[in-house]
Amino acid sequence: MLATKRYEYLPVDQIEFHHTLTNHRELDRAKVAHLEKDIVVNGLFEPLVVWERNNREYYLVGGFHRMEAIQGIRRANPGYFDRVDVRIVTGDPDEIKALNLKLNSDRVDTRITDYFQTVIYLNNANWSRERIAEFFDKSVSWIDDIIRYAPLTTEAMREKLAGGELSWARARDILRKALNAPPGNEKEIIESELSRPAQAVAKPLPFHTTIKRLSSSVKTDPKRTFKVSTQDIYALVLTLRGKNVNQEAIERVRKAFPILWDDE
């Protein structure tokens, strides 16, 4: 069972990297450089998360940018950060793999393709769809769609999904058409659909328009409530800011706060 075993001040050289536990994205060198300066001045505020697979055998699960920053500090300043604060977790390999992705998915810019391998892995490891959905704070239908459609995605589709050129909703529509096509025509259908011009996508919310719509909603339905997550609120803030917002974040806000769009 996944659990936090203890907190410890661990020698940094004892923390290893496991090939199945990664950052799911290339390290942001600018972020690493910023963390190096911040950690030197203020220390490591947030502990690294490590998995104790066997007694005194530790693998990094969460905090890859922080670990890279610490290693950079140590190269420039021998003797610095020989030990670091860590949260030691235990669990089965499939639970640790899921935790690794969950820690990454706390960032709003996590791509849906980052979930594919792990969701399918957990499904094959006999996790129920309800358990997977609860773990990732997603709906069961969202998990169902990944289990059904992710294995059918082509390399070109995955690249477009990862790059934000293709929405997951559009990808599902293409795959449905391919599944309904006569046998042998699936590849042709997918390639044809991908070659079509992209449909218009939702744009970041103008701040003043958002205030106006919220004000109108308060007047017409002051007791209206929304069930949202921290990720939804974070996505809303980034969307209102309007800079470097990916489609997944916009779609999350669109679903969580439908009154902010014209097509409610």
Side-chain angles (χ1 to χ4, degrees):
M1 180 178 177
L2 184 64
T4 295
K5 189 174 183 181
R6 65 184 183 276
Y7 288 86
E8 191 167 317
Y9 197 45
L10 193 68
V12 71
D13 289 336
Q14 288 189 23
I15 303 173
E16 302 179 68
F17 293 89
H18 195 279
H19 71 280
T20 65
L21 305 174
T22 69
N23 194 49
H24 298 279
R25 195 81 59 89
E26 290 185 10
L27 290 175
D28 183 333
R29 304 313 307 184
K31 181 176 181 179
V32 171
H34 169 76
L35 285 171
E36 285 187 26
K37 296 177 182 178
D38 184 66
I39 292 172
V40 166
V41 174
N42 300 307
L44 184 65
F45 282 148
E46 185 178 356
L48 304 175
V49 181
V50 300
W51 173 37
E52 188 173 28
R53 186 172 70 171
N54 296 306
N55 186 40
R56 315 305 292 181
E57 180 185 7
Y58 305 106
Y59 292 100
L60 186 65
V61 178
F64 289 86
H65 279 89
R66 279 169 282 148
M67 174 60 95
E68 182 68 15
I70 288 169
Q71 290 177 335
I73 294 169
R74 285 168 51 77
R75 286 191 293 270
N77 305 275
Y80 278 40
F81 290 95
D82 286 340
R83 290 176 174 267
V84 292
D85 291 309
V86 300
R87 174 163 69 98
I88 297 175
V89 298
T90 59
D92 295 333
D94 57 342
E95 293 175 319
I96 298 299
K97 191 177 180 69
L99 176 62
N100 174 230
L101 178 56
K102 182 176 175 63
L103 292 171
N104 279 275
S105 69
D106 285 341
R107 303 189 316 266
V108 75
D109 65 338
T110 300
R111 304 165 300 190
I112 191 166
T113 49
D114 292 333
Y115 288 92
F116 284 179
Q117 183 178 3
T118 301
V119 168
I120 293 170
Y121 173 85
L122 294 176
N123 181 64
N124 292 338
N126 296 319
W127 280 42
S128 69
R129 285 163 165 76
E130 291 76 14
R131 183 184 179 190
I132 300 172
E134 181 180 6
F135 192 89
F136 289 122
D137 190 26
K138 302 290 185 181
S139 67
V140 174
S141 62
W142 194 86
I143 299 298
D144 279 337
D145 281 345
I146 289 182
I147 293 171
R148 181 179 183 185
Y149 294 115
L152 305 176
T153 57
T154 63
E155 183 177 352
M157 291 186 77
R158 289 191 293 273
E159 288 179 356
K160 287 181 177 293
L161 283 166
E165 302 173 57
L166 180 69
S167 71
W168 181 227
R170 173 67 178 143
R172 292 198 309 267
D173 288 341
I174 293 173
L175 292 170
R176 290 190 188 102
K177 289 182 180 180
L179 287 172
N180 292 327
N185 291 350
E186 297 89 349
K187 183 178 179 180
E188 181 181 348
I189 292 292
I190 292 174
E191 290 178 349
S192 174
E193 290 292 330
L194 288 178
S195 67
R196 291 172 54 189
Q199 298 177 340
V201 297
K203 297 181 180 179
L205 292 166
F207 184 79
H208 293 296
T209 302
T210 301
I211 293 295
K212 183 177 179 180
R213 288 176 182 162
L214 283 173
S215 177
S216 176
S217 178
V218 168
K219 292 178 181 178
T220 58
D221 190 3
K223 294 185 178 180
R224 184 169 187 170
T225 60
F226 299 90
K227 184 178 180 180
V228 299
S229 68
T230 302
Q231 283 183 308
D232 295 330
I233 297 172
Y234 184 40
L236 174 62
V237 173
L238 290 184
T239 303
L240 288 171
R241 186 180 65 176
K243 295 180 180 179
N244 302 319
V245 184
N246 64 31
Q247 189 62 26
E248 294 296 332
I250 294 174
E251 289 182 1
R252 174 182 282 275
V253 177
R254 193 184 188 94
K255 182 177 180 181
F257 305 97
I259 66 168
L260 301 182
W261 270 267
D262 291 325
D263 57 347
E264 180 188 357

